[in-house]
Amino acid sequence: MRILNLYHSQTGNTHKIALRIAETARSLGHSVDTLQAAKELEADVLAYDFFFVGSGVYQWLPGKPMLDFLRATRQRYSQEGHIRPCSPRLPGKHAVIYCTYGGVHTGINEAVPAVKFCGQLFDHLGITVLDEWYFIGDFKSDEFKSHNTGGRFGDIHGRPDERDLKDVAERVQAILTV
Ligand SMILES: Cc1cc2nc3c(=O)[nH]c(=O)nc-3n(C[C@H](O)[C@H](O)[C@H](O)COP(=O)(O)O)c2cc1C
């Protein structure tokens, strides 16, 4: 399959996940394009069969470059007539949407809007969202370091760690094998 591995990562956490996704999907023989989301990025989305789309969560939503990419791409495909009422399915096209998040205040609930938001461009195009994945990601800047303990998930220093990345590889392997 041709896979688009699209992500935004401000502090490196989602980047780690995206790299493990690419590595695993390639090891299974798929062709993978790894792209960083940006307003100016004009990815030929409909040329791909499978999508991994991920971002860090910022104030409950994906980071701005991902938001900008999704909005600009929606507009472009809408103008080209690819976004139609009832969003008819495009056979054989599937996506996994994921995020990394701290969940300090309300746990997974503060990450759900980001993942749902990211999924809608693909769902609108007729690409079926197969799964949504949530990975814990710690805070890197001194300003927020105190959030790495004492939130809903306790001590999240160093996440995503090697165990999380092993989980990523296993999930990718499973979803690309069904
Ligand atoms: C300014 C700022 C806002 C954040 N907002 C949220 C949030 O609303 N919900 C959440 O669960 N995590 C939040 N986080 C934590 C990040 O989502 C988490 O560290 C993520 O792994 C960052 O991913 P990245 O390094 O790929 O950008 C925030 C972090 C920062 C620095």
Side-chain angles (χ1 to χ4, degrees):
M1 283 193 291
R2 251 195 106 180
I3 296 177
L4 176 59
N5 181 31
L6 175 74
Y7 75 100
H8 166 67
S9 184
Q10 200 169 302
T11 67
N13 291 337
T14 313
H15 175 74
K16 281 194 209 167
I17 308 276
L19 286 189
R20 188 57 63 97
I21 289 172
E23 197 182 296
T24 310
R26 278 206 190 95
S27 76
L28 295 168
H30 299 289
S31 137
V32 184
D33 289 338
T34 298
L35 301 178
Q36 293 196 42
K39 192 175 189 172
E40 309 72 34
L41 175 67
E42 290 205 3
D44 185 3
V45 171
L46 295 175
Y48 293 90
D49 310 301
F50 203 101
F51 304 81
F52 291 97
V53 180
S55 177
V57 174
Y58 292 90
Q59 288 168 357
W60 320 335
L61 286 175
K64 190 166 184 306
M66 179 62 86
L67 281 172
D68 288 347
F69 168 81
L70 295 169
R71 287 177 174 143
T73 306
R74 187 207 63 81
Q75 192 170 10
R76 183 159 55 88
Y77 280 113
S78 187
Q79 280 162 357
E80 291 174 9
H82 292 290
I83 295 185
R84 306 205 298 277
C86 301
S87 294
R89 298 298 87 189
L90 297 176
K93 292 194 188 281
H94 299 100
V96 169
I97 314 295
Y98 69 95
C99 71
T100 66
Y101 73 112
V104 171
H105 302 97
T106 61
I108 199 166
N109 291 325
E110 58 184 299
V112 167
V115 167
K116 294 291 179 196
F117 191 101
C118 289
Q120 278 309 298
L121 168 67
F122 301 89
D123 207 5
H124 272 62
L125 284 167
I127 296 159
T128 300
V129 176
L130 275 186
D131 211 350
E132 295 173 345
W133 296 343
Y134 295 84
F135 302 106
I136 306 293
D138 70 359
F139 291 79
K140 303 291 184 213
S141 74
D142 287 340
E143 191 186 349
F144 297 110
K145 276 222 160 115
S146 63
H147 283 357
N148 287 331
T149 50
R152 284 272 174 116
F153 300 121
D155 187 350
I156 61 169
H157 276 114
R159 306 280 301 274
D161 56 19
E162 203 37 56
R163 215 164 81 179
D164 296 315
L165 295 175
K166 189 165 170 276
D167 179 34
V168 170
E170 285 170 359
R171 285 168 183 255
V172 170
Q173 198 153 4
I175 209 142
L176 292 180
T177 310
V178 271

